[in-house]
Amino acid sequence: MKRALRITYRGMETSDTLNEHIRDQADKLEQFFDGITGCNVVVEEPHRHHAQGHRFHVRVELHVPGRDIIADREPAEPATHADAYQAVTDAFEAARRQLQHHAERQHAHHR
């Protein structure tokens, strides 16, 4: 494994099962693009509203040669990202799309 994975929780308790989910998502990204040298993930529960329930904010920072990729998923609606696992999945999917664009630009540049 080339990348260093760092997971940070803010405003909530650390979760072993969520850590495993994050590791799985990071592994999938590494299979998609093997040039990842670092991955920082921040899972935050910024506000606890009794009427709205839990809302999660996830930030994924990927370090690849020549670029840093940041995928930031802020819940827009109360029902959005009420599940931390879904928020993580969505943030990693956004990171994968950015990584795909980066790989396509690299490939086009090397033609």
Side-chain angles (χ1 to χ4, degrees), residues 3-90:
R3 66 169 161 76
L5 176 62
R6 185 175 61 174
I7 303 168
T8 305
Y9 291 91
R10 294 186 184 145
M12 60 186 287
E13 295 293 319
T14 300
S15 165
D16 290 338
T17 55
L18 190 54
N19 282 344
E20 188 63 32
H21 181 65
I22 291 168
R23 277 189 216 92
D24 289 345
Q25 293 293 317
D27 287 344
K28 287 178 187 177
L29 271 187
E30 193 169 50
Q31 290 172 2
F32 174 74
F33 185 88
D34 67 352
I36 299 170
T37 59
C39 180
N40 300 326
V41 180
V42 177
V43 182
E44 181 177 17
E45 188 177 15
H47 304 288
R48 287 188 174 167
H49 297 290
H50 293 288
Q52 295 177 342
H54 299 281
R55 294 176 67 192
F56 297 94
H57 174 241
V58 177
R59 178 182 175 98
V60 176
E61 298 176 8
L62 298 175
H63 307 288
V64 297
R67 182 156 188 231
D68 288 339
I69 294 171
I70 299 172
D72 214 2
R73 282 294 179 247
E74 183 76 47
E77 300 174 15
T80 304
H81 299 132
D83 177 5
Y85 294 88
Q86 187 60 49
V88 166
T89 300
D90 290 349

